[in-house]
Amino acid sequence: MRILVIGGTWFLGKHIAEGGLARGWSVTTFNRGRSGRDTEGVDAVHGDRTDRTDLHGLAQQGPWDAVIDTSSSDFPPRNVLLATTALRTAARRWVHISTVSVYQGWPHQALTDSSQLLDCPADADGSYGHTGADGSPTVYGFQKAGGERAVAEAFGDNAVFLRPGVILGPGEYVGRLPWWLSRAKRGGRILAPAPGSQRIQPVDVRDVAEFALDQAAGETGGGYNVTHPEGITFADFLDVCLAVTGGAGKPEWVDPSVLTDHGVAQWTELPLWRTHAGVWSVDSSRAVAAGLRCRPIADTIRDTWSWLAADGRPVDHPRWAEHGIAPEKEAKILASLA
């Protein structure tokens, strides 16, 4: 089995490259060589996915049984189209890492794999789409939907779309779980979004990587929601964070209306918290039937803390700084509750 991983040096791409090698596959990675190190054992090709000449040169390194594209998030549909056009005759299948944001109903409605997608042309530039007044839909969602269309036009029934919600685990660069772990370690009264019984569905990066590799070797196409089928309650999530870090903290469960009144930004200042009804109501049964296996989220939390405690250093990324409420703001809100 020969695969091409577009990306391949950090977080999901790195786990996919390592997983492919562990299966005894031949793995080529394609990236600019700026973020992270090439995985030992891969055939590393450096170039720019927005450069037609670089893509043409990459195609000469094929053929591959499958492409796994982990790096389309920062590029408009027309750049995805450029890559699929260049590689269409060099690969049999294309596994595209997408997002639940491509759905018209996210995050307001419960979703299945057959939910309606946003509409975006395959050749759209970065200006296409809009963000709604309540933060939904998003330009990002439109852009990713256009990227999916570009892949579908080139690979048809051999196009696979993996649509995760939130991916956590060792090597995370966004900073959601690392922030909660750091906050748990600091201890004290911890501002927490009620209700603690709310179930969340983050999925482990290693499980997404294994499923992507399975799909690369598969025969069927289409879309898969990649979310944890059991999930974990927010209360249990914080309990595990406290247990693994040894933090002497106590969550203070605060009604969302109070958090909103204090201007707490959903999704970022308290990572993983969002009040929209559909955020954590994403059905992944099709993926599970196709072989998705998700480890307990408690294991993801423990392993991420072990990675951080061992001086885990994620690739520098601007999204890391977006996550987590300032200690002064948190203290002010907690003081108002006393």
Side-chain angles (χ1 to χ4, degrees):
M1 184 79 180
R2 300 189 74 232
I3 63 170
L4 167 65
V5 182
I6 303 181
T9 60
W10 48 301
F11 202 40
L12 178 57
K14 179 177 174 63
H15 284 289
I16 289 173
E18 292 174 345
L21 292 171
R23 295 184 183 206
W25 295 359
S26 172
V27 180
T28 302
T29 58
F30 178 68
N31 53 69
R32 292 175 295 183
R34 300 176 185 175
S35 301
R37 298 177 180 177
D38 294 313
T39 299
E40 184 177 353
V42 305
D43 180 13
V45 179
H46 290 162
D48 190 332
R49 66 176 296 160
T50 68
D51 187 295
R52 194 181 305 272
T53 300
D54 286 356
L55 288 169
H56 178 73
L58 173 64
Q60 306 314 303
Q61 306 296 315
W64 297 279
D65 297 294
V67 175
I68 305 178
D69 187 359
T70 70
S71 71
S72 69
S73 294
D74 296 329
F75 299 95
R78 64 171 50 182
N79 286 127
V80 178
L81 181 63
L82 185 68
T84 57
T85 301
L87 299 172
R88 181 165 43 199
T89 60
R92 183 178 67 88
R93 286 171 68 75
W94 188 290
V95 179
H96 197 69
I97 308 303
S98 188
T99 170
V100 293
S101 295
V102 298
Y103 290 113
Q104 289 185 11
W106 195 86
H108 300 283
Q109 302 169 8
L111 298 174
T112 69
D113 300 290
S114 60
S115 296
Q116 190 70 33
L117 302 180
L118 295 168
D119 186 33
C120 179
D123 61 351
D125 63 19
S127 67
Y128 192 92
H130 65 275
T131 297
D134 66 346
S136 169
T138 61
V139 170
Y140 173 71
F142 280 102
Q143 295 279 304
K144 291 291 280 186
E148 285 196 12
R149 180 170 290 182
V151 176
E153 289 182 358
F155 285 85
D157 292 340
N158 281 314
V160 181
F161 308 103
L162 306 190
R163 299 172 183 141
V166 171
I167 303 177
L168 304 177
E172 184 195 338
Y173 64 89
V174 175
R176 295 185 177 105
L177 178 51
W179 184 84
W180 277 116
L181 286 165
S182 175
R183 181 63 192 88
K185 178 65 175 177
R186 182 156 54 91
R189 298 173 68 199
I190 299 174
L191 187 67
S197 59
Q198 170 67 57
R199 299 195 76 83
I200 58 177
Q201 297 177 283
V203 64
D204 192 289
V205 63
R206 296 162 294 184
D207 298 330
V208 180
E210 288 301 307
F211 187 60
L213 291 165
D214 289 345
Q215 293 308 304
E219 297 295 331
T220 59
Y224 296 92
N225 294 333
V226 185
T227 55
H228 202 290
E230 288 87 33
I232 189 172
T233 68
F234 222 122
D236 287 344
F237 173 86
L238 290 188
D239 284 347
V240 177
C241 287
L242 287 163
V244 301
T245 62
K250 178 183 178 182
E252 298 282 346
W253 297 98
V254 180
D255 189 271
S257 63
V258 175
L259 298 174
T260 301
D261 288 344
H262 282 87
V264 178
Q266 298 186 39
W267 213 233
T268 52
E269 285 194 296
L270 290 181
L272 307 179
W273 168 61
R274 199 165 181 178
T275 57
H276 300 79
V279 171
W280 300 116
S281 186
V282 181
D283 176 39
S284 59
S285 57
R286 183 171 189 260
V288 171
L292 174 67
R293 297 293 178 265
C294 292
R295 70 198 69 203
I297 295 172
D299 291 352
T300 303
I301 298 170
R302 293 189 188 97
D303 292 347
T304 301
W305 178 246
S306 295
W307 165 70
L308 288 168
D311 199 28
R313 297 182 183 276
V315 173
D316 289 336
H317 197 281
R319 293 185 68 185
W320 186 281
E322 296 175 358
H323 291 88
I325 189 169
E328 299 80 9
K329 184 173 181 177
E330 180 186 27
K332 182 178 180 181
I333 296 172
L334 289 169
S336 74
L337 305 175

